[in-house]
Amino acid sequence: MHAYMIDGTCKKRELSSETIAAVLKNNGWNTRMLTVRNASVLPCTACNGCSERRIGECVIQDDGAEIAEHAATSDLFIILSEVTFGGLSSLAKRAFERTLPNILPYFTMYRKELHHVLRYPRRPHMLFLGWLPEPDEQQEILFHRFTERSAVNFMTTHKTVVFHGCHIQEQLEEVSREIYQLSGGGL
Amino acid sequence: MNSRVLIVSTSIRKSSNSLAIAHYIKARIRGAQIMDIARRWDMSGLKEELGTGETLIIVVPLYHDTISWTATAFLEELAELPFPFRNMAAIVHSGYPEAVHRSAAVDICRYFAESRGVKWLGELSPGLTSVVAGRPLEEAGGLFRNLRKALDKAAAALERSEQIPDKAAALSKRSSVPPRLLKVMGNISFAMEAKRKGLDVKRQPYSRND
């Protein structure tokens, strides 16, 4: 099973993409990571190149060009980010927006809402891992709402965990359980 | 840039719909100015450019049902500064007619303001804005009558540093085209355009055969 992780945190923390990757490895996942702060990931400029020039592919040739491919081919798509005003950090958001090639211009109704048709019928489960230095109920509620909306947009299942600087270990166990279940252990 | 009211257009595109909205509202608020951060990758140096003033209005396009990367980067940089305005308001817009797509983004902007101790003057949340296609809103036709009325009412309130009236907020959310109709119209239009350009729009370069 193939996991793809975007690490959109602005600096390495106790909860790092390496820690998560180790949990995944113990459960039989092969993980590829993109640490945005160490990579060249330009923002999507909504140039429409992916719907006209190189259909389904990003025309920006940098480290972010692989994101659309892994969003299409992985079994688990993970975004790790500081919770920023209840949403993603700008680094994580910049990378996340590079999934645009996987969205068609056509519309469909999904859950009684208008949405764009997705390019691929097969979609990975999404795992959103947010980090906050300390509990902040308002931001956590917002983060859960935003991630729920993202999963609806990608017409897939998801799980969201918000980590606090002081309770990393307990929450990592929660993520481990989730990954174990996704690996077939709890199913 | 010291201005009583500063309108920041946070679309990454030049000649964007965010900028069209910004221009419309600027024309209705005395002393308002626009800052356009299109194609700006680096937000440092904002302090000098923002100056100080009464009200900051942020115009935000939606990407993946939340605020755009550009808007996030702008707010992150702004959060590092002593907030240079007393009030803040947001106009969060997207092509989807339904306001549910924009509600989390609106709340992120509101949270930002309130967490900085800034008075939140409210929001407009118009849909269908992809149809504006960067044109001046005055020329965008009857589909945007509700949006123009909402902006007129909001501008009158924001000029006086008052709360955007609930009526204006509600009006901005009211779409002139029902989602199912937009789906049919949009799909016909996209299919015709793809045929005309000879595009294989549904190509799947990364399809997995399992």
Side-chain angles (χ1 to χ4, degrees):
Chain A
M1 285 174 296
H2 168 52
Y4 184 69
M5 180 165 20
I6 292 173
D7 179 351
T9 53
C10 68
K11 64 178 181 185
K12 191 171 177 178
R13 301 180 186 280
E14 194 185 336
L15 173 73
S16 66
S17 44
E18 287 84 1
T19 319
I20 305 293
V23 173
L24 285 158
K25 194 177 175 189
N26 288 340
N27 286 280
W29 289 83
N30 173 29
T31 307
R32 184 181 171 90
M33 288 188 289
L34 176 68
T35 304
V36 185
R37 65 178 179 275
N38 297 334
S40 164
V41 180
L42 289 168
C44 168
T45 57
C47 68
N48 282 336
C50 57
S51 59
E52 295 196 351
R53 278 184 284 156
R54 290 175 57 181
I55 296 171
E57 299 172 65
C58 186
V59 297
I60 304 171
Q61 289 305 296
D62 63 0
D63 297 333
E66 67 174 40
I67 295 171
E69 178 178 356
H70 291 286
T73 57
S74 63
D75 302 292
L76 177 61
F77 190 77
I78 306 169
I79 298 189
L80 174 64
S81 170
E82 286 98 359
V83 178
T84 306
F85 321 126
L88 295 177
S89 69
S90 62
L91 285 179
K93 189 70 196 348
R94 197 200 309 164
F96 193 31
E97 289 180 5
R98 295 287 294 276
T99 56
L100 196 68
N102 294 3
I103 295 169
L104 292 173
Y106 296 101
F107 291 124
T108 188
M109 297 303 292
Y110 178 70
R111 294 192 180 186
K112 298 182 181 171
E113 297 169 7
L114 191 69
H115 284 269
H116 282 288
V117 176
L118 298 177
R119 188 172 298 280
Y120 302 97
R122 191 189 159 285
R123 263 94 61 178
H125 178 81
M126 296 179 95
L127 179 59
F128 293 94
L129 303 174
W131 185 89
L132 275 170
E134 52 198 45
D136 180 333
E137 195 185 349
Q138 215 180 334
Q139 283 207 76
E140 285 177 44
I141 290 170
L142 269 176
F143 193 70
H144 278 275
R145 273 185 55 205
F146 151 66
T147 54
E148 166 69 26
R149 289 303 309 169
S150 291
V152 170
N153 267 334
F154 284 90
M155 299 176 194
T156 189
T157 49
H158 83 293
K159 168 90 178 174
T160 301
V161 180
V162 176
F163 290 85
H164 308 127
C166 46
H167 297 116
I168 296 287
Q169 207 47 49
E170 295 155 36
Q171 287 157 322
L172 201 54
E173 281 164 20
E174 188 185 339
V175 172
S176 301
R177 277 197 300 276
E178 169 70 10
I179 288 169
Y180 175 68
Q181 285 192 351
L182 284 171
S183 314
L187 301 175
Chain B
M1 186 188 289
N2 287 326
S3 58
R4 221 167 52 74
V5 176
L6 183 64
I7 307 159
V8 180
S9 170
T10 66
S11 173
I12 200 159
R13 300 175 86 152
K14 290 191 170 170
S15 309
S16 63
N17 300 323
S18 298
L19 193 58
I21 291 170
H23 278 297
Y24 186 90
I25 202 158
K26 175 185 180 280
R28 283 149 186 84
I29 300 178
R30 254 175 304 134
Q33 291 193 53
I34 291 177
M35 176 191 271
D36 182 10
I37 54 172
R39 299 289 166 126
R40 179 171 173 158
W41 312 148
D42 180 10
M43 299 292 165
S44 57
L46 269 185
K47 188 177 180 182
E48 292 71 28
E49 292 173 54
L50 281 170
T52 55
E54 184 74 10
T55 301
L56 177 73
I57 305 170
I58 181 168
V59 187
V60 183
L62 202 74
Y63 284 83
H64 291 335
D65 280 18
T66 186
I67 64 174
S68 61
W69 165 77
T70 336
T72 310
F74 173 77
L75 294 182
E76 277 179 354
E77 189 65 26
L78 197 54
E80 298 296 314
L81 310 172
F83 203 82
F85 292 85
R86 289 176 55 193
N87 314 306
M88 185 173 164
I91 302 170
V92 179
H93 68 96
S94 75
Y96 291 119
E98 308 104 319
V100 64
H101 289 280
R102 297 177 290 279
S103 64
V106 165
D107 288 346
I108 284 173
C109 295
R110 184 188 300 125
Y111 173 84
F112 173 84
E114 290 173 353
S115 65
R116 304 253 117 34
V118 176
K119 189 174 175 193
W120 179 247
L121 294 185
E123 74 281 343
L124 298 181
S125 172
L128 221 62
T129 51
S130 47
V131 183
V132 173
R135 290 171 294 170
L137 275 187
E138 293 87 341
E139 299 167 16
L143 280 182
F144 298 97
R145 194 178 300 122
N146 284 342
L147 174 57
R148 286 191 295 266
K149 277 188 198 168
L151 286 167
D152 292 344
K153 288 178 196 294
L158 293 171
E159 188 172 63
R160 299 189 299 268
S161 302
E162 290 173 2
Q163 205 79 26
I164 292 176
D166 291 345
K167 246 185 178 174
L171 200 55
S172 75
K173 291 179 188 170
R174 202 181 299 160
S175 171
S176 320
V177 182
R180 284 179 193 278
L181 180 59
L182 185 63
K183 178 192 146 194
V184 173
M185 287 163 54
N187 288 352
I188 291 171
S189 153
F190 295 133
M192 284 170 64
E193 195 184 341
K195 194 175 174 189
R196 187 173 56 81
K197 292 180 176 172
L199 300 174
D200 174 16
V201 181
K202 294 183 180 174
R203 179 176 172 254
Q204 297 183 342
Y206 310 127
S207 68
R208 232 176 81 160
N209 300 318
D210 60 5

